Amino acid sequence: MDSDLFSRRRAERFAQLLDEANGGRRHHVRSKADGELTALVEVSRRLGAGPDVEPGAEFRTGLRAMLVATAEREGVGTPAKTTTGVRGTLLPAITGRRARARGAILVGVAAGAVALSGISAASENALPGDALYGMKRSTERAQLALASSDISRGQLFLDFARTRLDEAASVRGDRLGFSAVLDDMDADTRQGVRLLTTVAAQRSDPVALDAVDTFLAGQRRVVSGLLDRPDHAERDRTRRSLALLDAAGKRADALREAIACGLPAPQASDALGPAPAACPADR
């Protein structure tokens, strides 16, 4: 899907197709993008048939804020400026059509988001192999896309790593499934740690590392608990995840020391983020 998917013309055409799918009048026009946009309309239609789960108050508040911000950005509800001349006589009609198109998109976004919230709630406890597990992971990607900062994204990745660990405990009888979940858990751990350590180094402020320390304390305890189980078959694979947590802890400690002794932001970096040099011995 190309990056121009939500250009103005495509947005207006999407609104037309969405209107037709909901029983509105047919628009006798065609667009080269109809194939892609029709697929999106079908996704919206399927989302509308999702489980009947009532969205919570926090979701409603967040959705309202998103829609208000989108409406302000797109000028929905803003009176059109008047102009004179032949071109000016066409402007109100064009502006009106675009406002209706944008309004239809907002309605579609709202309906899709509410439906998606129901499906997301239903998939919250899904495990690998379950029908709704793909939706659970898609919801996580949507959360990342909506995160407002690298700190928020880093914390989300660490939350997802915790979730993967819970899943691993549930599928430990499936050796291949267990290893695959730990692979995903380690990938989330690296992403979260890298984002948070990068913020700490760039700002010369260790506050972002507090989230890393809190995560590591709880995650180490649970991963070590897996090794303590006599029926645990994937000990070598679990030890690799434990070694990653130890490496992340050492990286966070090294960054704290580098920030405390006033070293500049490190130039070297790896999967865990900036790799600081040791503080001079005379400091």
Side-chain angles (χ1 to χ4, degrees), residues 28 38 46 52 61 75 104 171 190 260:
H28 299 289
T38 301
R46 291 183 180 182
D52 184 15
T61 301
V171 301
R190 292 187 189 94

Side-chain angles (χ1 to χ4, degrees), residues 243-257:
L244 173 62
L245 297 176
D246 290 339
K250 292 177 181 177
R251 178 61 52 85
D253 291 342
L255 273 172
R256 284 185 184 278
E257 292 178 4

